[in-house]
Amino acid sequence: MSIREPVLRFLGHLLWPSSCSICGAMGVPACVECLLPLLSPPMPASLGDFPLETGGIHEGILRDFVLELKYGGDRTLGVAMGRALGRIFPKPSAEVLVPVPLHRDSVRGFNQSKAIAEGLCLEWGIPVSDCLEWREGRIAQTARKESERRNMPLDAMAVRRKGLAGKWAVLVDDVATTGTTLIRAGAAVENGGGRTVCAYTWTAVPKGGKG
């Protein structure tokens, strides 16, 4: 660790009092070094046209971090989670990281998937493009039954700005439940002229499990 990082942590602690929930380090909600031993990636899953890599099963402390990220209000936790993922997985052959968009009616002040993507960007050097949007207001997937999640409209998302044409893209989300959201995001990337090569999430819900 460089001298600059502890200094930035201390300054961050003065402005936003927080500490790592694992080791107690000041200025960060979680240290990347503390998150790494918690990750236990299962075998890649197939989402049809591309594979899904995930940091672990959506349970225990990994699930707790997702909930803290979503409802705790500190997006820097998502960046740390993304950096941890970026260290356990090799850099993919891709040109852009595309986070799943925040729902239009969300009251959250930031997109947790984008925060994770920014952490991956720091480790891999692949730029983030927040280029997808939901076509219409839609309640969060966590509020839906599994059958409703799988029946999401095929065109639920669209590309809201140009720039994906001809590019290989990596999708990023916090949790994969049925995989439908990522599949629809992949379809939007394809419609925008890009190609989805893989997807990464912090956790994945096993079949029959609950998010």
Side-chain angles (χ1 to χ4, degrees):
M1 181 186 297
S2 66
I3 296 177
R4 181 170 175 267
E5 189 167 344
V7 172
L8 291 176
R9 284 184 177 182
F10 178 72
L11 293 176
H13 184 68
L14 294 179
L15 296 173
W16 302 282
S18 63
S19 60
C20 175
S21 58
I22 299 174
C23 74
M26 296 188 304
V28 291
C31 302
V32 177
E33 294 79 7
C34 292
L35 294 175
L36 285 170
L38 305 177
L39 298 175
S40 181
M43 293 294 291
S46 174
L47 294 181
D49 293 334
F50 54 89
L52 166 66
E53 296 276 13
T54 185
I57 302 301
H58 190 64
E59 61 185 14
I61 192 169
L62 294 184
R63 179 177 182 272
D64 291 342
F65 274 117
V66 170
L67 296 177
E68 178 62 25
L69 173 60
K70 284 185 173 181
Y71 307 115
D74 190 344
R75 70 183 310 280
T76 62
L77 174 58
V79 176
M81 291 161 66
R83 294 192 68 176
L85 288 175
R87 291 187 188 181
I88 64 168
F89 290 114
K91 179 180 177 179
S93 297
E95 300 164 277
V96 64
L97 301 173
V98 179
V100 168
L102 194 64
H103 288 276
R104 289 187 176 185
D105 57 354
S106 175
V107 296
R108 195 171 303 128
F110 65 93
N111 181 353
Q112 72 275 6
S113 300
K114 183 180 178 183
I116 293 173
E118 290 172 355
L120 288 169
C121 171
L122 291 174
E123 296 297 322
W124 291 342
I126 302 175
V128 177
S129 177
D130 188 15
C131 60
L132 298 185
E133 66 178 357
W134 293 95
R135 285 187 177 274
E136 59 185 25
R138 182 176 175 83
I139 65 173
Q141 287 290 81
T142 53
R144 295 176 177 271
K145 296 179 180 178
E146 182 173 341
S147 59
E148 294 175 322
R149 294 176 181 180
R150 294 187 183 279
N151 289 330
M152 183 188 301
L154 297 177
D155 61 347
M157 291 182 222
V159 175
R160 62 186 175 91
R161 69 165 69 106
K162 297 180 180 179
L164 282 182
K167 291 186 177 181
W168 288 16
V170 169
L171 297 175
V172 182
D173 204 357
D174 54 351
V175 183
T177 306
T178 63
T180 306
T181 298
L182 288 166
I183 292 172
R184 299 297 184 265
V189 168
E190 297 286 335
N191 290 336
R195 176 188 173 191
T196 302
V197 296
C198 56
Y200 290 85
T201 64
W202 176 252
T203 56
V205 177
K207 189 174 182 179
K210 296 183 178 180

